[in-house]
Every structure is written in structure tokens, then in C-alpha cells.
Amino acid sequence: MSLLLRFSFYALAVSLYFLSTVNSMSTPISPAQRIEQLRKEITEHDERYYRNAAPVISDFEYDLLKSELKALESAHPEFSAENSPSQIVGDDRSRGFEKFPHRVPMQSLDNTYSEGEFLEFCARVGKDVPAGEMNFLVEPKIDGVSVSYTYENGKFVRALTRGNGVEGDDISRHVANIAGVPAALVPIPGKPFPKIVEIRGEIYMRNGEFLRINAQREAEGLEPFANPRNLTAGTIKSQNPEESARRRLDTFVYGLGACEPAGTFASLSELRATLHAWGFPVTEFCGNVLGGDAAAEKIRELGELRKSYPFPTDGAVVKLNSLALQRKLGEKSNAPRWAIAFKYAPEQAETTLRAITLQIGRTGKITPVAELDPVEVAGTTVSRATLHNEDEIARKDLRVGDRVIIEKAGEIIPQVVRFVPEKRRADSEVFSFENELKKLGIDAERPLRLVDPKRPEKGYERAVAWYVKEKDSPELRKRRLIYFAGKTCMDIPNLGEAVANQLVDLGFVKTPADLYTLSLEQVLKLEKFKEKSAQNLLAGIEASRSRELWRLINGLGIPNVGETTAKDLAKKFKTLSVLAAASAEDLATVAGIGEIVASSVAEFFLKPENQALCEAFIVAGLNTEIAGTPDDSSAVEQIFEGKIFVLTGTLPTLKRDDAKKMIEARGGKVAASVSKKTTCVLAGEEAGSKLEKARALGIEIVDEAEFLRRSGEVSVPAGRMASPEELLLDLN
Ligand code: IVH
């Protein structure tokens, strides 16, 4: 699609958007009121995006709000304000992270979806830069999380998020999980390392990794992440080191913050070649062109190429190559004047919302799904899309029969963005989740949950999702059976939805354990089953008796437990009976298992029906154990054996409990007070008398970073030697 055409779509979208806003407003409001409204709305979206990594609108919708605000503010300068969200970069700082200032502030970028606006940017640059020197680099805009890596004399010092632009959160401990960040830069002959350099880039997740993690999450009955960017942000800000260690992150670098001595680099292309030679990953595509028209051509080229990239991109970044010219142009409050992001409008399509169906998961959670007239979006046919939950449907006011706009968020997962107001039928009815449940005869509730399980005083709130009340309904029995027989559980061939439905409807199977009492006669009663196929099904069931223990644990359908957790549990407890008897505290000692999962497992086994199920499996002769005695010491090297640690003060990222678990998993012990027997004190902020005593006794004191290094949490990636070709890399 040409840029011009894209722009007309963009203009259309803007006008439709305004139309829908105007439509929904009962009385017209003044520009001042609209500015206020937009600032409030954008600030809320910033909070969801930057701090919680859980946006509720697409980037495109967000950019529309922001450009409306900017347009209003420039038409009404009397209402401008320094703290308007149009003037500041979002703030990603979170609690529990140590903060460090950026030596040079980290800015954001102005963005546009239109070629016209892009050429206006070039014209502005042209006022200060002669045409013959207007060299632009055009690079993919990676859809991840901004990062700044500091190196001193070639050695990694720390990694910071953008934070509020002035100071960021220290996320150095994640660097071990980010492919490609060198612990030590590769030396370049004849070119000493800068004393200090801040290297700017993006941490991102590959599309394949994102899909892998989401598939696992869905199998565990958890809400999937909306896109790789949110998952990247969630992983970096996660307080659970084991969880984040299981997710692979990647990085690309492209920019410079502080650099001493100054003047080390004359241009971005020189910087890029050096970053690559130092061992950093740089993007494959980098157009180096003269003038705005040539840059627009590169943007178009990239628009096609990016579709086959294995990582998420949401635009092109165009920047002046010469650092001297960058300095000449300078910057505005939150963005440079020498660069712009051209964002590709997400591919959208219009179709009809035929129905909203309610899907019941194995835990009884009910998810609304949009059933759509099939439509092609970004290369695939979409006929269904999750609507997430009741509140999402209400927020978007989606109604059956509406014409709706489908968009692929990050070009991966289809979302219903909004309905088309002017095509709504006059007789359309507001969708009522409750009525729908009644129609289907499903007895369900939005259960009350503690706002914060650790602080019961904060009270209760309603869960976002509806859950069926009757935990033993035929529908749920079918779901559980299908899940139990699935590939990540007992892997029973030929036991899919159709067979499971009949087994339950005919009353042959109530729980998965009943599978093991099925007779040939019963199976022959199933539709389309003949002697041979019935024998095959029974043989498959028979073979599943000896599957590995983790498959059986996974098959139980414990809320919040999927394949990975099931494997961890099997490894630790070795038999189903030992696992079933474990307390929440025992469970929480397993590496990778947090409090929520621990209490979910303990609660599951406390229920009489689940105890009966486990007994039935044992009676049916299923394999319910693995060899060995119950402990997981074999899993982790016992590097702290015989060592006694004392913990004191608040650690920057680790919770005390996690530090304790890590020590114990590695064979060490944790004591409450410092004595001569203490091997090492792990000290955080505001450490008091224990620290003094340790000093007095001459006991070794380590901080969190050192502790993580010793426990093998932060492996130091070796620097890579640059080949001579790389050193001579010609990027033009
Ligand atoms: S250059 C002064 N190049 O996009 C900032 N940024 O929306 C200069 N981004 O904050 C940034 N890919 O985190 C640049 N190839 C690229 C980029 C890129 C992604 C991010 C960056 C920036 C944000 C602005």
C-alpha cells in the first residue's frame, strides 16, 4: 500500500475517531475542557503502558489521542502546560528498583503516520542543514523497551530503563538473560575504549518467543499477554528471577548518551560500526540516504521488509547522521529536532461481529470470544478474536451485528478495536454478559478476591473474569477431559473434543480417572467407532498409564499450573502422594514457584474431590512417581553447601524470601543473627546492627549484585572478537 493511501486511511481513522467521540458526547465541550479530558486520559494510558505494561488501547488509538492533544494545545497556546503529557516522556520507574541518573537524559521521539508530516519534518531540518549534507539514517523502530547500557573502559557497569528520562531503574540483573549484551566490549585495535559511554538501545522479545510463552500461559489458564512489548516490559520489571530467566530477551543498540572523551564519534554510522565491532547486535537494515525523498523511499522499502522480521517493529526511525548537525538542530523538551519516528498504521480490516460466544476454560473461567465474518488482516484470515472480559466489551460498547474494525496488535494477535458508529443498526442491543449466561443456563459469578493477598486489610474486589459456580457441570467435565488427554498432558491419541463430549454425555466418564475403567462395549457405543478404532482408543488410554509424572500433574488441571510448573513439582516431590500432602509453605520453597501458585496447588489438594481423583489414579495403576528421593538438590549445583548466610536490609530487587530460597536451593543455610559461624552477610539498604556486627567480626559482606553473580544467576557473557571484516564494516 502506498504511503499516500496509508495516509488517507489515517485521515479517515482520525475523522471517524472524532466522530465517535462527538457522537458519544451529550453536550459539546470547550477546547479547554477537551484538553483537560485528553490530558487525564493520556496520563492514565501512560500509567498502564509504562508502569503496568498492560495498555487497554492500541498504540494507534493512543497516538491519535496524543496528536489531538498536541493540535489543540498548539491552536490554544493559552492552555499550554509544562507538565502536559504531550511535553513529557512516559515514566516507567517502578518500586523495588534502585534508581540511577542518566548522564545525558533519555528522550522520546516525535512520531507521525503520514508522509506529508514526514516531509514537513525534512523541510524543518532543511532550514538549518544544506541539501547536500542532509544525510539520514533510516532504521527499523523496534517495539520494545528503551534501555541505556553504561560501560566504563569497556566493562559493563549497569543497564537502566528510560525511567522518567532523567533517572531510570537499574535492571542490570536481567542482562544475563538478554542475548547479545557483552560483559566486556571487544577491543578494536588502535581505538581505546571511552572512559565512560552510555549506549542506547531497545530490549525486545522475538515473535516466536512471545508465542511460546503465551501458549504456555493459556495452557495454565492465565490471561495471555497482548504483545511482545508488554511481555518484555513485564519480564524486565518482574521480581521473580526464575520466571524471567525462562524468558529469552534480545537487544539492539542504535544510539549514544554520554561519551567521554567527547567527540569520539562524528556520525551515527560510525557509532553503529563501532557498536557492532564491540560485540553488540545492531539492526540488519540501515538505510543511509541523502534528502527527504530518498528517506521516504527507504521508509516504504522497510514497510515491506519488516513484515518478514522475526521481531516486532512498529515503524521506521529517521535521524540525521552527523552528530555535529544533530547538535546544531538541538532538541525540544522531550524529543530531538533531528529525528522522527514514522509509524506504520497497523493493518486493519472491517467485518461483521456475528456473535459473542462464551468459552469455558478448564478452571471454569469464562472468556468472551468475537465470532467474525472471516476477513483477511496482515496476511492471515481472522474469524475469531478474544474480547478479554465483560468490562472490555462494555468499554468498547460492542454489540452483536456491529460492523467492527479488526487490527493485528503488533501484527500478531487479532483484536477488535472498535465498532463503526455510522453502520450500527438502530435496533442493536447492548451486550449483557449476565443475560447471555442466563440464556445458556450457566450459573456463574465474578468471585471476590483479595486486592492484595499479602495485605488483607486492603479488602476485596471483584475478579475481572466470570467463573462457573458449579465446578462439576458436564461442560467443565468435558473441558477437563480434553485437557487431560491433550498433548502437554497424557497425550492420548484420538481423544479430542467429539469423543470427550460423548463420553461425558453418555455418562461413561465423570472424571479423567474413569477413562481407565472404560470397556470395549462402552467405546463401541460412541459415534463412528468400530471394533478397530475402539481398540485403538483403548490402547492409547492403556499406554497413558505409564506416562511421566509431570504429565499427570499437569493433567490434573490445577489452576495456575502448566507444563513448566508441573515439571518443577514432579522433580521436587517425586510422587503424587508426597505432592498432594505438601503445604503451601513447602510448595513455596520450590525454585520458580511463587506464593500464588503455591497456595493454588495446596488449595487444590485440600479439596476432597481432588484427593479422591488422586486415589483413583493410584488404584487405576497409573505411574504416580519418578525415581529418587523427594528433593531437588540434583537440579542446582550445591555451591553454598556448608555456608551460613545472614540477610539484612532491603535488597534492591530480590525479596528476602527469594534470596533465602536461592541460598537453600544451593545447599546453604540462612541464620537469623550474625555470629562467628556466619560465612557471609547479604546486605541491602538500611542494614542496621547486623551489618555492624559483621564488620566487627570481619565477616564477608556482599551486596545483591555480588550475591547474584555468586549464585550463578548472572552469568557473564563473554565478549566476542570482531573479525577484520566487521572492523571495516561499511554501512552505507
Ligand atoms: S533513536 C532521542 N532508533 O523508540 C531518541 N529509537 O518512540 C532517539 N526506538 O525512545 C531514539 N527503535 O526507545 C531510535 N532504531 C531506533 C529505535 C528507537 C526503537 C525507540 C526508542 C525511543 C522510542 C521513541
Side-chain angles (χ1 to χ4, degrees):
M1 198 190 311
S2 80
L3 283 183
L4 203 68
L5 203 62
R6 269 177 200 280
F7 180 52
S8 354
F9 270 165
Y10 170 65
L12 188 75
V14 175
S15 37
L16 285 181
Y17 182 80
F18 285 140
L19 231 154
S20 72
T21 337
V22 172
N23 264 358
S24 62
M25 287 187 302
S26 43
T27 43
I29 59 170
S30 68
Q33 283 170 317
R34 180 68 185 146
I35 287 176
E36 232 5 81
Q37 206 178 51
L38 284 165
R39 283 180 185 161
K40 190 164 168 279
E41 234 177 280
I42 293 171
T43 307
E44 281 167 12
H45 289 307
D46 278 345
E47 174 87 9
R48 292 192 184 107
Y49 182 91
Y50 289 109
R51 280 200 217 264
N52 308 336
V56 292
I57 57 171
S58 73
D59 287 4
F60 187 56
E61 290 174 283
Y62 173 86
D63 289 336
L64 286 181
L65 293 175
K66 220 159 176 179
S67 69
E68 186 191 349
L69 176 61
K70 280 186 181 167
L72 276 172
E73 283 176 341
S74 74
H76 299 277
E78 67 276 23
F79 302 132
S80 65
E82 259 181 29
N83 62 355
S84 165
S86 63
Q87 301 303 311
I88 51 176
V89 300
D91 191 349
D92 71 35
R93 288 172 303 169
S94 320
R95 266 184 27 210
F97 286 84
E98 201 172 351
K99 317 276 177 259
F100 284 93
H102 299 297
R103 287 184 164 82
V104 166
M106 284 181 83
Q107 291 196 300
S108 184
L109 282 176
D110 279 345
N111 70 44
T112 179
Y113 287 85
S114 98
E115 183 167 337
E117 279 181 18
F118 171 69
L119 294 174
E120 282 169 24
F121 157 81
C122 299
R124 280 195 302 277
V125 173
K127 285 187 192 153
D128 291 300
V129 180
E133 292 174 37
M134 215 149 79
N135 249 99
F136 286 119
L137 287 196
V138 183
E139 281 181 1
K141 181 166 163 11
I142 314 298
D143 197 9
V145 176
S146 320
V147 63
S148 178
Y149 303 106
T150 306
Y151 283 77
E152 276 178 27
N153 299 312
K155 297 271 175 314
F156 175 82
V157 178
R158 70 177 64 91
L160 297 176
T161 66
R162 182 165 65 191
N164 64 349
V166 177
E167 63 164 25
D169 284 350
D170 185 347
I171 51 159
S172 306
R173 52 183 300 221
H174 286 289
V175 162
N177 298 329
I178 304 172
V181 186
L185 301 177
V186 177
I188 303 173
K191 214 174 174 187
F193 291 125
K195 219 167 119 253
I196 285 189
V197 61
E198 286 177 332
I199 297 165
R200 303 277 156 87
E202 203 82 359
I203 300 174
Y204 68 93
M205 183 176 279
R206 290 175 149 245
N207 299 338
E209 178 66 352
F210 167 72
L211 292 172
R212 180 190 74 78
I213 294 168
N214 254 1
Q216 190 177 326
R217 250 179 105 76
E218 281 185 272
E220 291 175 20
L222 299 169
E223 180 79 7
F225 291 94
N227 57 52
R229 190 255 157 214
N230 296 345
L231 183 47
T232 304
T235 304
I236 281 169
K237 292 298 173 82
S238 160
Q239 304 276 11
N240 181 343
E242 271 99 7
E243 182 185 56
S244 34
R246 285 186 188 137
R247 298 177 184 165
R248 178 192 154 142
L249 294 174
D250 281 83
T251 196
F252 279 129
V253 292
Y254 43 69
L256 193 64
C259 184
E260 284 176 30
T264 308
F265 300 101
S267 68
L268 286 181
S269 48
E270 187 194 337
L271 170 74
R272 193 180 140 92
T274 308
L275 291 173
H276 185 58
W278 278 345
F280 265 113
V282 292
T283 55
E284 238 171 71
F285 181 96
C286 177
N288 187 346
V289 293
L290 190 67
D293 290 336
E297 180 60 41
K298 279 284 164 205
I299 293 176
R300 258 174 247 137
E301 199 184 310
L302 184 58
E304 284 310 309
L305 278 174
R306 66 190 274 269
K307 292 181 184 162
S308 59
Y309 286 167
F311 49 84
T313 58
D314 58 345
V317 181
V318 182
K319 28 197 170 180
L320 266 184
N321 192 17
S322 150
L323 298 192
L325 290 177
Q326 287 185 5
R327 280 191 291 274
K328 183 171 176 196
L329 264 92
E331 54 213 24
K332 298 178 288 177
S333 64
N334 62 346
R337 288 183 217 277
W338 44 263
I340 194 163
F342 181 95
K343 292 182 79 172
Y344 300 104
E347 285 200 31
Q348 294 190 332
E350 192 186 305
T351 187
T352 302
L353 175 60
R354 283 284 160 220
I356 297 178
T357 51
L358 303 184
Q359 218 174 52
I360 303 179
R362 64 166 219 263
T363 57
K365 184 176 163 190
I366 304 170
T367 308
V369 177
E371 307 290 345
L372 307 158
D373 275 352
V375 65
E376 171 131 343
V377 195
T380 55
T381 305
V382 176
S383 55
R384 307 186 87 204
T386 174
L387 293 174
H388 304 288
N389 54 52
E390 179 181 24
D391 297 347
E392 267 299 286
I393 301 177
R395 194 179 66 75
K396 293 179 181 158
D397 183 21
L398 298 175
R399 304 181 190 181
V400 173
D402 274 347
R403 291 291 285 172
V404 289
I405 302 296
I406 308 299
E407 178 180 308
K408 270 202 183 165
E411 262 86 36
I412 304 183
I413 296 178
Q415 305 279 351
V416 180
V417 183
R418 60 180 173 87
F419 70 94
V420 182
E422 56 290 12
K423 293 191 183 160
R424 170 166 277 176
R425 288 171 44 166
D427 60 352
S428 74
E429 282 176 32
V430 173
F431 182 80
S432 158
F433 214 100
E434 237 167 323
N435 286 350
E436 201 58 27
L437 287 166
K438 264 192 212 132
K439 253 196 268 170
L440 296 167
I442 302 172
D443 192 13
E445 61 179 348
R446 279 176 71 168
L448 283 173
R449 300 232 157 113
L450 281 171
V451 175
D452 181 349
K454 279 202 216 124
R455 296 207 211 147
E457 69 279 7
K458 281 193 163 177
Y460 290 84
E461 64 183 357
R462 290 248 169 243
V464 252
W466 285 82
Y467 286 83
V468 290
K469 276 195 203 156
E470 162 69 278
K471 296 295 180 208
D472 202 22
S473 65
E475 190 52 41
L476 272 187
R477 284 182 190 165
K478 290 172 190 170
R479 293 284 127 221
R480 287 194 198 116
L481 195 57
I482 295 164
Y483 180 73
F484 180 81
K487 281 243 174 305
T488 61
C489 299
M490 300 300 266
D491 195 12
I492 304 175
N494 308 319
L495 212 171
E497 193 155 351
V499 173
N501 288 351
Q502 293 181 68
L503 288 173
V504 172
D505 288 340
L506 291 168
F508 297 159
V509 171
K510 288 195 179 68
T511 77
D514 297 335
L515 282 177
Y516 300 94
T517 60
L518 276 179
S519 65
L520 181 63
E521 209 185 351
Q522 284 176 316
V523 178
L524 282 170
K525 295 221 169 83
L526 305 181
E527 247 172 57
K528 295 193 190 142
F529 270 81
K530 300 256 157 48
E531 186 78 20
K532 180 109 201 318
S533 46
Q535 297 279 15
N536 281 347
L537 178 63
L538 287 174
I541 295 172
E542 188 55 34
S544 75
R545 282 184 212 259
S546 49
R547 294 263 187 277
E548 301 105 304
L549 175 59
W550 70 263
R551 289 183 171 275
L552 181 59
I553 296 173
N554 198 19
L556 292 172
I558 307 170
N560 300 313
V561 172
E563 188 176 328
T564 319
T565 311
K567 284 179 181 163
D568 290 343
L569 291 171
K571 197 151 83 179
K572 167 85 182 179
F573 294 99
K574 304 281 202 252
T575 79
L576 186 60
S577 339
V578 176
L579 169 65
S583 67
E585 291 74 40
D586 290 341
L587 288 155
T589 61
V590 182
I593 292 186
E595 279 166 41
I596 295 177
V597 179
S599 52
S600 173
V601 176
E603 239 173 69
F604 179 90
F605 287 112
L606 279 177
K607 293 191 178 143
E609 65 271 24
N610 295 331
Q611 289 170 1
L613 180 66
C614 293
E615 272 162 37
F617 282 139
I618 295 170
V619 171
L622 265 70
N623 169 38
T624 56
E625 48 186 65
I626 52 176
T629 46
D631 75 57
D632 71 344
S633 54
S634 56
V636 185
E637 218 184 315
Q638 299 296 285
I639 41 176
F640 294 152
E641 194 156 355
K643 301 213 158 94
I644 300 174
F645 284 74
V646 170
L647 311 180
T648 177
T650 315
L651 299 170
T653 64
L654 272 181
K655 283 191 221 132
R656 251 191 207 221
D657 219 37
D658 286 329
K660 185 165 180 258
K661 273 193 219 170
M662 286 168 68
I663 294 167
E664 288 172 350
R666 288 160 182 76
K669 290 211 169 72
V670 176
S673 57
V674 178
S675 73
K676 272 194 225 145
K677 286 193 199 146
T678 310
T679 327
C680 180
V681 170
L682 169 55
E685 250 176 68
E686 287 167 34
S689 59
K690 289 185 195 172
L691 191 59
E692 281 163 30
K693 191 161 176 200
R695 281 202 187 107
L697 291 172
I699 288 163
E700 187 185 26
I701 299 160
V702 297
D703 64 3
E704 181 188 287
E706 180 57 26
F707 169 72
L708 289 171
R709 251 190 300 279
R710 290 191 192 183
S711 41
E713 275 296 318
V714 180
S715 62
V716 183
R720 209 168 43 81
M721 281 305 288
S723 64
E725 295 78 36
E726 281 170 0
L727 293 173
L728 295 169
L729 198 74
D730 178 10
L731 289 146
N732 295 343

